[in-house]
Amino acid sequence: MADTLHADLLLTNAHLATMSPAGEPYGIIRDASVAIAEGRILWAGKITEQPAVIAKAEHDCQGQWLLPGLIDCHTHLVFAGNRADEFEQRLQGVSYADIARQGGGIRRTVQATREASEEALLALTLKRARTLMGQGVSCIEIKSGYGLDTDTELKMLRVARQVEQHLPVTVRTTFLGAHALPAEYQDDADGYIDLVCNEMLPQVKAENLADAVDVFCESIGFSREQTHKVFAAAQNLGLPVKLHAEQLSNLGGSELAASFNALSVDHIEYLDEAGVSAIAKSGTVATLLPGAFYYLKETQKPPIELLRKYRVPMALATDFNPGSSPVCNLPLMLNMACTLFALTPEEALRGITINAAKALGEAEHMGSIETGKLANILQMDISHPNQLSYEIGINPLNRVWHQGRMLTR
Ligand code: NIG
Ligand code: FE
């Protein structure tokens, strides 16, 4: 009996898309079972190789597929208002950057978010989080960046932190104080960066409100030098960094991010080979955001071939926000990444599972069905995991376990 496993739950009669890097594409194991104890995966593999298990409960998956919980590793989930009128302007040919330069864009959302109460923002955020959870999302990264003053940045992060207390979902928060220049600092970008580094960041750290720090490095955002200052301040406080980089032009932000061992560089349509080589060396994940590419009618594609050549892990995320990507749908990103960026369906699914976990520095705990990881598991009515990139708008999700607990839907 020494080898008998004691489990809280045994999932049997399933096919697994473990998304583990070893073995078959998608980490497929057919005719498999998964044993769960104390919220973690105790064992996963072929039924024929399963050790003896004494389980408190058993669930028959009836030949359906089990996948790891999905991870949306780049969102701006906390904001008030919407910018549908700017969408109409853009359809008439006005560019995203021009709208921003004329005081619209991010600043519009900043105004609405400053005016919203914490309760109102929380209600909006929970609604969006529930939408993602209904698609099988078990972990959401949420950024600040629509406050651009100390009080509102802290308010946004507190709202993001509260989500976990209301919903069975994991949240990782990111401080994005350097998202845009607020009107009060119109002619003093360096002064604003000082505020971010010397006032906002220390308070964010003191209240443990952020797991990482992000900057929008762009002509309509902040320069490389300003980004460097924020990264240095984050590093001093022991916070990891990531970057909105090379979205509209190539400012070399990714190389800077690599020099700080950034978790990820995100967007990266204009990333060149020197940048790809740099992030390959630093182990930084390339996060692709096809929703923003699509909404902005961008034509420059991220350098997928180079990312493959240098073996840079590619993650995918919604970038859900009211300007460049008002799309609260992570599975849709699978299809968009295949159609717009020529990812394979397997690369796309890795992008919202194991590589998204890497982009959050959480690959030890999430992103695949492997012994020791959190039991965030989806049961899906599909005939093969490639179907998830192929179909749009059909939700094959049948059951969800979050940290070993079945969620009622
Ligand atoms: O990820 N690029 C900068 N930030 C967001 C857009 C924010 C907005 O337009 O409100 C993005 O695309
Ligand atoms: Fe973003």
Side-chain angles (χ1 to χ4, degrees), residues 105-245:
I106 293 173
R107 279 191 190 170
R108 288 264 313 287
T109 303
V110 167
Q111 201 183 333
T113 305
R114 285 179 179 178
E115 285 164 9
S117 69
E118 199 163 314
E119 295 68 37
L121 275 179
L122 179 62
L124 287 166
T125 306
L126 291 176
K127 195 170 168 194
R128 295 164 188 152
R130 279 193 198 97
T131 300
L132 290 172
M133 290 169 69
Q135 300 156 7
V137 174
S138 66
C139 176
I140 310 172
E141 185 259 15
I142 303 180
K143 300 175 196 296
S144 68
Y146 291 121
L148 311 185
D149 63 31
T150 306
D151 285 351
T152 316
E153 285 295 309
L154 296 179
K155 176 172 78 174
M156 289 185 71
L157 291 170
R158 276 196 295 266
V159 165
R161 277 279 192 246
Q162 280 172 59
V163 171
E164 277 187 348
Q165 289 153 25
H166 293 268
L167 297 172
V169 68
T170 302
V171 169
R172 290 291 171 264
T173 58
T174 301
F175 170 61
L176 177 58
H179 191 197
L181 196 59
E184 311 86 85
Y185 281 83
Q186 181 64 50
D187 300 312
D188 187 16
D190 288 328
Y192 181 66
I193 289 296
D194 286 343
L195 181 77
V196 166
C197 295
N198 303 331
E199 186 178 301
M200 293 185 189
L201 250 175
Q203 289 196 42
V204 165
K205 173 71 183 178
E207 290 188 42
N208 186 27
L209 286 175
D211 302 306
V213 174
D214 194 348
V215 174
F216 184 24
C217 183
E218 190 56 65
S219 55
I220 57 167
F222 295 94
S223 69
R224 246 179 92 118
E225 291 66 36
Q226 290 159 345
T227 304
H228 189 285
K229 273 193 186 171
V230 178
F231 281 2
Q235 194 174 49
N236 275 336
L237 295 171
L239 288 167
V241 300
K242 58 180 76 175
L243 191 63
H244 280 74

Side-chain angles (χ1 to χ4, degrees), residues 74 76 83 96 106 146 179 216 244 247 267 319 321 323-324:
H74 180 143
H76 306 251
R83 307 205 314 253
Y96 179 68
I106 293 173
Y146 291 121
H179 191 197
F216 184 24
H244 280 74
Q247 180 187 8
H267 288 287
D319 192 16
N321 75 69
S324 66

Side-chain angles (χ1 to χ4, degrees), residues 1 95 247 276 328 393:
M1 287 294 277
S95 80
Q247 180 187 8
V276 174
C328 196

Side-chain angles (χ1 to χ4, degrees), residues 67-98:
L67 282 85
L70 309 181
I71 299 170
D72 196 348
C73 66
H74 180 143
T75 84
H76 306 251
L77 216 65
V78 182
F79 63 86
N82 74 68
R83 307 205 314 253
D85 51 351
E86 291 181 6
F87 176 65
E88 292 199 67
Q89 271 182 279
R90 285 197 282 109
L91 291 174
Q92 301 298 324
V94 187
S95 80
Y96 179 68
D98 281 341

